[in-house]
Amino acid sequence: MARLILIRHGETKWNVEKRLMGQSDSPLTPWGRRQVELVASRVSDISFDRLYSSDLGRAATMAGAISSVCGAPVVYRQDLRERALGVFQGLSWEEAALRFPRDSELFHSDPDFCVPEGESRRDFSLRALGFLNFVADSHDGLTVGAVTHGGFLDMIFRHVLGIDLMAPRSARLMNASLNSLDFENGRWILRTWGDISHLEEHEPC
């Protein structure tokens, strides 16, 4: 058995502004920085055998804090990055629809549509599945932590539960959430999702 704990980065300025980050970056808000501290405290008693992280700044900040309390070194992996959103990055959904109406329509209807300078939803899903396979194939008996992004979590959730790529999103993708899965008897089993209990007694700054 392998256990995988996926952790989403803290809140960013663009999260608050509802802008599409993709593989661009945005600074953490004061509440996002506090979330990093609260997650580090929450996981301080978990013995991670391996700790992986997206190399994007918002995820790397969270991973560094976790590493400092757990002792596991961070291995940065580009396959844990958010979906590349190309020309949409930095825009709101409304702005994207106005500037790129046809691309915006296809983005929401065709899993094989590749955003200009970005990647398709199907390719993104295959990238997430590749990481799951990597953990399953080479981490038997280990507890693995991975700091990643909301879109990546969505791809994992859909794969494990067999949800179509274009179905309406049904999973909550919370900043600074813990999401755990076990690999048992050749398949992934979802154990917890969107756990933010470590945040609930604290108010955003």
Side-chain angles (χ1 to χ4, degrees), residues 54-177:
S54 159
D55 61 346
L56 299 178
R58 56 194 186 273
T61 299
M62 177 73 80
I66 293 171
S67 177
S68 69
V69 298
C70 295
V74 184
V75 177
Y76 296 100
R77 297 178 58 97
Q78 292 188 0
D79 58 354
L80 284 167
R81 286 183 175 187
E82 182 59 277
R83 178 178 173 181
L85 294 178
V87 296
F88 288 1
Q89 292 176 172
L91 304 178
S92 67
W93 285 116
E94 293 79 10
E95 290 168 341
L98 285 172
R99 295 190 193 183
F100 308 101
R102 181 57 176 162
D103 292 333
S104 183
E105 179 184 342
L106 290 170
F107 180 87
H108 293 289
S109 62
D110 183 355
D112 294 305
F113 171 69
C114 186
V115 181
E117 303 175 26
E119 77 186 305
S120 73
R121 184 175 299 209
R122 193 179 308 279
D123 286 344
F124 183 35
S125 176
L126 290 172
R127 174 156 62 85
L129 177 57
F131 179 75
L132 279 185
N133 290 338
F134 162 70
V135 174
D137 291 344
S138 56
H139 296 74
D140 187 40
L142 303 183
T143 298
V144 177
V147 183
T148 186
H149 305 268
F152 193 95
L153 290 175
D154 183 41
M155 295 298 101
I156 297 293
F157 187 86
R158 290 173 186 271
H159 172 74
V160 172
L161 296 186
I163 299 171
D164 186 82
L165 280 178
M166 300 310 297
R169 180 176 287 173
S170 58
R172 299 185 72 194
L173 308 173
M174 309 294 290
N175 287 110
S177 62

Side-chain angles (χ1 to χ4, degrees), residues 182-200:
D182 290 338
F183 187 72
E184 296 181 3
N185 301 317
R187 68 188 185 98
W188 285 99
I189 300 169
L190 191 66
R191 296 301 186 191
T192 61
W193 195 263
D195 180 0
I196 55 168
S197 57
H198 46 288
L199 308 179
E200 290 174 352

